[in-house]
Amino acid sequence: MRSEGAVGPKSPLYLQLRELLRNKIESGEYPPGTAIPSVGRLAETYGIHRLSVRSAVSALVGEGLLKAVQGKGIFVLGEKLEQDLETVGGFKLNMLDKQKKSDTRVLIKTLRTAGTVYGSLLGYPPEARIYYIKQVSYVDDEPVFLEETYIPEALVPNLKDIDLGVFSVYEACEFYGIQVVRGEQSLEITELDPMDARLLNTDPKRGVLAFRCVSYDDQDRAVEFTRTYTRGDRCTFNVHYQREA
Amino acid sequence: MQEYKPKPREVAGELLESYLLEQKLRPGDRLPSERDLSKAWGLSRSTLRSALARMEKNGLLCAKRGSGSYLTPPKYTRHLQGLQSLSQSAAEQGRVVTTRLLSIKRVECDKNLARHFNRTLGYLLYKIVRLRRLDGEPVMLETAYIPTERVGNLEKKNLETGSLFKVLEKEYGLIPKKGEEKIGITYATADEAELMGIREDAPLFWIVSQTYDQWGRLMEYCHTAARPDRLRIASVLERRDPATEERRRRPNAK
């Protein structure tokens, strides 16, 4: 972190703006994962040239505080947990064709009450509020996964402002200091209902792999429940295991 | 953020799941009739019927004609951890495994097998096909390949008592140490359908596993077709800090 007072009234405008943006990020006025105002907007608000705004932004991008995404905006990055963790067990999704281009479309992102089913999965009372997110991921313009995620609102209150086309739910959790250390996973084959089958561009009778996972953080709190449907012709799940000592 | 109104079909599915949890229904218990449930929840009968049908397809309920829907016993869960044998893990879940040896013969490696075993074409393997039943019901068809040079006279051993790995360990000193599995979907061939009593072309798990012995050699290559209405596969993902793990493993080390 930089010392205060590095910037004064005589400092160049782009430097003043850079420090202003930095303060807003650090104070939480611009929370991690959300977009800051556009370059045009900032230029207008402060009456400065767009080029000055650009150089303030690009300095912060260079520092890893912001991320510019073509056609979407400028986003605040949270601190990443720099821990070198070893992954043991667990299914890994394996794409059959090496992926060239992937894209995620968010179909639903809403707040709802947990109800009995998701309340009991996540360890919250039925009246607790949870986010429900449904998204489709495409690889080379073909739909490959259909994913539903349930996260308690209390854990990631800003999730509603986070663009899930830019950040994964997993990254959003990390921004809020939630570290997933364990996932209880299962794999089944299920038939999709016709509407969901259409989203995956598959015949409901063919069956899909249904992957479910409840994720826990280092305090053993359930932080997320996900259900991912994948077409069996596009991916397999891999798992490595060892005999316990 | 948009308001989302769940579709009646989704509402019905979740209401049914909640009902099972709240009423603490057990396997074999009967659900109230379609008419009573649709009246209680203010849903149309066709909506409720399709939600019930979906749960039935996914193996949670079974419908008996003219008598209603019953809760089925939970699927057998195969945990891919610690290389526990099927017989052992089934026993822990109160299930009984029986095994029928369909065939054992010597085969030559084709290109694919030769690559896996890191040998040349024609390297000799035992090909062992076994049908596994859970509580009497056929659920898995396993085809295993094991190098003949490591397991002389394997065909003379009893391969129907349960774990093949137990035989390999006891009789030949081969100890499974680690492995990997690939899990995907396949569709039942006519033979598989007949052996497992399912319809041809029904979706099945297709599990390809490779198991390595204490010397790191591939000791078994196996593919299994398994019924998804009777079986689910589970694993626990753990992310561990290697430094902490090291301390845990060697508690006396500084």
Side-chain angles (χ1 to χ4, degrees), chain A residues 115-130:
Chain A
T116 310
V117 175
Y118 301 104
S120 68
L121 274 169
L122 293 166
Y124 280 78
E127 64 278 10
R129 307 222 314 154
I130 57 170

Side-chain angles (χ1 to χ4, degrees), chain A residues 184-200:
Chain A
E184 291 185 359
Q185 312 177 324
S186 72
L187 205 51
E188 294 179 72
I189 292 177
T190 186
E191 276 188 23
L192 287 176
D193 65 54
M195 298 243 298
D196 284 341
R198 221 166 316 159
L199 288 172
L200 275 185

Side-chain angles (χ1 to χ4, degrees), chain A residues 84 86 88 90 109 112 116 170 180-181 183 185-188 190-191 193 206 237 239 241 243, chain B residues 1 7 9 14 22 57-58 75 80 83 175 177 179-181 183 187 233 235 237-240 242:
Chain A
D84 189 17
E86 196 181 359
V88 186
K109 182 171 162 190
R112 51 163 281 174
T116 310
Y170 192 77
V180 172
V181 297
Q185 312 177 324
S186 72
L187 205 51
E188 294 179 72
T190 186
E191 276 188 23
D193 65 54
R206 298 302 279 167
F237 283 84
V239 60
Y241 47 90
R243 188 180 239 194
Chain B
M1 208 163 33
K7 298 178 181 60
R9 176 171 43 82
E14 197 173 327
E22 282 159 7
K57 271 181 194 148
N58 291 330
K75 291 181 187 179
L80 294 181
L83 284 160
I175 303 168
K177 275 290 180 194
E180 58 182 273
E181 309 221 352
I183 303 152
Y187 300 94
I233 302 170
S235 183
L237 171 108
E238 279 180 274
R239 299 174 74 211
R240 300 173 180 159

